[in-house]
Amino acid sequence: MGKVTGFLEIDRQVAKYQPASDRIRHFREFTIPMSDQEVQKQAARCMDCGIPYCHGPTGCPVHNQIPDWNDLVYNGNWDEAIRNLHSTNNFPEFTGRVCPAPCEEACTLNLEDVPVAIKTVEQAIADKAYEMGYIVPQPAVTKTGKKVAVIGSGPAGMAAAQQLARAGHEVHVYERESKAGGLLRYGIPDFKMEKNFIDRRIEQMKGEGVTFHCGVNVGVDLPVQRLLNENDAVLYCGGSETPRDAAIPGVEFAGVHDAMPYLVQQNRRLGRENIDSVGWPSEPILAGGKHVVVVGGGDTASDCVGTAFRQGAVKVTQLDIRPQPPEKEDKLAVWPFWATKMRTSSSQAEGAVREFQVATLEFVGDEDGNLTGVKCCQVDERRKPVAGTEFVIKADLAFIAIGFRGPFTNSVLKDLGDTLKLATDRRGSTNVIANELDYKTSVEKLWTAGDVRRGQSLVVWAIREGRQAARAIDEELMGATVLPR
């Protein structure tokens, strides 16, 4: 906790944004950092609530010790605060930027709609730690002689690799793309998290002995069996990248795209990379001067909205099949869990037109095969079309952002399925089957973690699974482990 009476004396404040009219002119982060003194005041609001749901299973998947580091920040002990934060979370500068903060939903003060600004404080601790030089490589004092390969360098793969290297193992990370980071680098737009934060962590991990092999598509360029033969353990953290099939007529029209290729392309442009990417379409997708429709109501859809505005879209409309949620939830019915209520992302606040309880019937095109509009209708509470409510939205460009059903199936899964019969979930997804205790797959010496196992989820969940899988591997290889679960 912070100051005993802080929640009574200090109003909740969070970091401000640049005005929408300014921030849509660039792709950089637009959050205006708070001063150290302001952050300390917000940390002081952490109250002696008795049961801190914020860092329990309802609040923080990695179990950040939020009251502890709030107290440390309030007392100006930034060095100890980052050590405490790192004890549960390898990458607080990532989660402090992109996590939706279920911890704040679970905060006792959220019963009064004024939760502690936990996410703001978390990001401030990480940024201050870099500024003060507290974040340095922590190589293992002794080596175990064991060798571990990690497939995928997203948040799960990075967290696992760092934990395993610090335990003394020789760790090699294999990444399909030309740079490490996975979803963090190629899926999340720069205006939400600039990529220099990933680069700094990569350099720290290299200093801890982790070796990165980028541009290696495991299962295509490098057989999985070879990794299994040459390593004591292999951890598969391939993410969830195969889009769900929308089954909407007209997807063949030029101008209709899945969301992820669009986001990947823009991130590659900003990273000064060629937009050609393994597994994604290579024709340029740009929204400048166009009417854009985004199908879907989640974070990926919101990222498409913000990217389209920055590329110069004339108008952006977002379609959500769900009914418009209430402005305010019933606290006593849902707290401390994540509530369904009206939420407006920073991208939506930049001028998106939001249509709720609307189904996409078909994409409409001209005789040349170009998209001209999106035919929609209102739906009832069962998501069934309401007769006579059809309408067409003008569109030159449309993105389908309705989620993902599993990892790519043309590399690791195909290689393992053809040779070792890796067990996957066949009920509408291709997630790899493994439990949350040891993360072992049906293949000997192969573990899995992150979205490839649990399905599409949050970055903070990926970090948790990577850490837990690292502990399971270390325990298997050494007979015991000191890595936290």
Side-chain angles (χ1 to χ4, degrees):
M1 60 171 290
K3 186 179 181 182
V4 175
T5 56
F7 71 98
L8 296 171
E9 301 169 8
I10 303 167
D11 291 334
R12 169 182 161 89
Q13 297 289 334
V14 295
K16 300 292 190 296
Y17 293 158
Q18 292 177 3
S21 57
D22 293 339
R23 66 181 188 247
I24 63 171
R25 300 176 186 275
H26 61 79
F27 280 89
R28 301 183 302 277
E29 289 185 15
F30 50 80
T31 301
I32 302 171
M34 297 171 67
S35 68
D36 291 353
Q37 293 73 24
E38 290 172 323
V39 173
Q40 287 176 278
K41 287 174 65 177
Q42 292 307 305
R45 297 185 65 246
C46 189
M47 62 188 295
D48 187 8
C49 58
I51 300 176
Y53 287 98
C54 58
H55 71 73
T58 56
C60 181
V62 293
H63 301 289
N64 281 338
Q65 300 171 87
I66 295 164
D68 293 351
W69 45 254
N70 271 327
D71 184 62
L72 291 166
V73 169
Y74 167 58
N75 287 291
N77 194 344
W78 296 90
D79 189 8
E80 186 61 31
I82 190 62
R83 279 199 292 270
N84 186 296
L85 186 46
H86 273 153
S87 71
T88 57
N89 184 355
N90 294 67
F91 314 119
E93 69 275 25
F94 301 166
T95 52
R97 285 171 165 80
V98 302
C99 185
C103 53
E104 294 189 16
E105 292 285 307
C107 178
T108 301
L109 286 173
N110 190 39
L111 287 167
E112 296 293 331
D113 286 318
V114 286
V116 175
I118 300 169
K119 182 177 175 179
T120 297
V121 176
E122 180 179 18
Q123 178 182 335
I125 294 172
D127 292 348
K128 183 71 172 179
Y130 273 113
E131 177 189 330
M132 300 299 293
Y134 297 149
I135 299 179
V136 296
Q138 301 175 35
V141 177
T142 58
K143 298 295 184 180
T144 64
K146 302 293 186 179
K147 186 177 178 183
V148 182
V150 179
I151 304 172
S153 66
M158 284 180 64
Q162 185 166 63
Q163 294 294 94
L164 289 164
R166 290 177 175 177
H169 304 304
E170 180 185 344
V171 181
H172 292 260
V173 178
Y174 296 85
E175 169 56 46
R176 181 190 67 216
E177 297 287 356
S178 56
K179 294 181 181 179
L183 166 76
L184 294 167
R185 185 180 296 275
Y186 293 104
I188 295 174
D190 271 34
F191 56 80
K192 289 178 68 174
M193 187 182 76
E194 295 179 11
K195 304 309 181 278
N196 62 294
F197 299 106
I198 303 172
D199 296 334
R200 291 197 296 196
R201 281 296 179 183
I202 296 299
E203 289 306 309
Q204 181 197 30
M205 292 171 65
K206 287 179 179 178
E208 294 169 346
V210 179
T211 303
F212 289 87
H213 306 269
C214 294
V216 179
N217 192 1
V218 175
V220 178
D221 306 326
L222 176 63
V224 181
Q225 186 63 63
R226 179 176 163 186
L227 288 180
L228 292 168
N229 293 341
E230 295 178 354
N231 292 272
D232 297 288
V234 177
L235 176 61
Y236 178 31
C237 301
S240 182
E241 300 173 294
T242 302
R244 287 194 182 124
D245 184 6
I248 302 172
V251 292
E252 71 279 2
F253 287 121
V256 180
H257 304 274
D258 288 314
M260 195 52 68
Y262 176 57
L263 299 176
V264 170
Q265 273 195 16
Q266 185 56 36
N267 279 318
R268 293 179 73 88
R269 286 190 192 95
L270 294 173
R272 294 181 172 82
E273 298 183 64
N274 192 302
I275 64 170
D276 293 338
S277 180
V278 179
W280 305 111
S282 58
E283 72 271 13
I285 309 172
L286 294 166
K290 296 179 180 179
H291 289 74
V292 178
V293 171
V294 181
V295 180
D299 290 336
T300 302
S302 183
D303 291 344
C304 288
V305 170
T307 301
F309 277 130
R310 283 158 180 76
Q311 289 184 348
V314 173
K315 181 180 180 181
V316 181
T317 304
Q318 185 176 357
L319 308 180
D320 195 332
I321 199 169
R322 298 170 297 184
Q324 182 169 335
E327 290 291 333
K328 186 173 169 51
E329 75 273 32
D330 181 350
K331 297 288 186 184
L332 296 182
V334 298
W335 180 88
F337 299 98
W338 185 262
T340 298
K341 63 180 178 180
M342 189 65 176
R343 301 175 191 271
T344 301
S345 72
S346 59
S347 293
Q348 292 163 341
E350 289 162 0
V353 177
R354 302 172 71 183
E355 297 280 358
F356 289 96
Q357 211 161 340
V358 166
T360 305
L361 298 178
E362 66 174 310
F363 297 108
V364 182
D366 59 23
E367 58 186 16
D368 294 325
N370 297 312
L371 178 71
T372 59
V374 180
K375 185 177 180 180
C376 311
C377 73
Q378 295 178 3
V379 296
D380 59 22
E381 63 277 2
R382 296 185 178 181
R383 299 187 178 183
K384 300 297 183 182
V386 177
T389 63
E390 296 84 359
F391 60 98
V392 176
I393 300 174
K394 179 180 178 180
D396 311 298
L397 192 61
F399 299 112
I400 303 172
I402 58 172
F404 304 87
R405 60 182 178 87
F408 282 149
T409 58
N410 58 357
S411 53
V412 174
L413 287 189
K414 184 177 187 304
D415 191 10
L416 286 172
D418 290 346
T419 58
L420 299 174
K421 308 304 180 186
L422 175 68
T424 57
D425 183 355
R426 300 297 181 184
R427 295 172 298 175
S429 76
T430 53
N431 298 333
V432 179
I433 295 176
N435 63 50
E436 292 186 20
L437 295 176
D438 58 21
Y439 291 89
K440 282 185 176 180
T441 70
S442 60
V443 175
E444 185 68 22
K445 293 172 60 176
L446 182 69
W447 284 257
T448 188
D451 287 4
V452 72
R453 190 200 71 86
R454 69 178 290 116
Q456 177 188 355
S457 190
L458 304 176
V459 169
V460 69
W461 273 108
I463 293 173
R464 168 181 170 154
E465 294 216 348
R467 288 170 61 89
Q468 292 187 337
R471 176 187 168 88
I473 291 171
D474 186 45
E475 189 170 29
E476 176 82 9
L477 297 182
M478 306 305 296
T481 182
V482 295
L483 293 178
R485 178 169 167 77

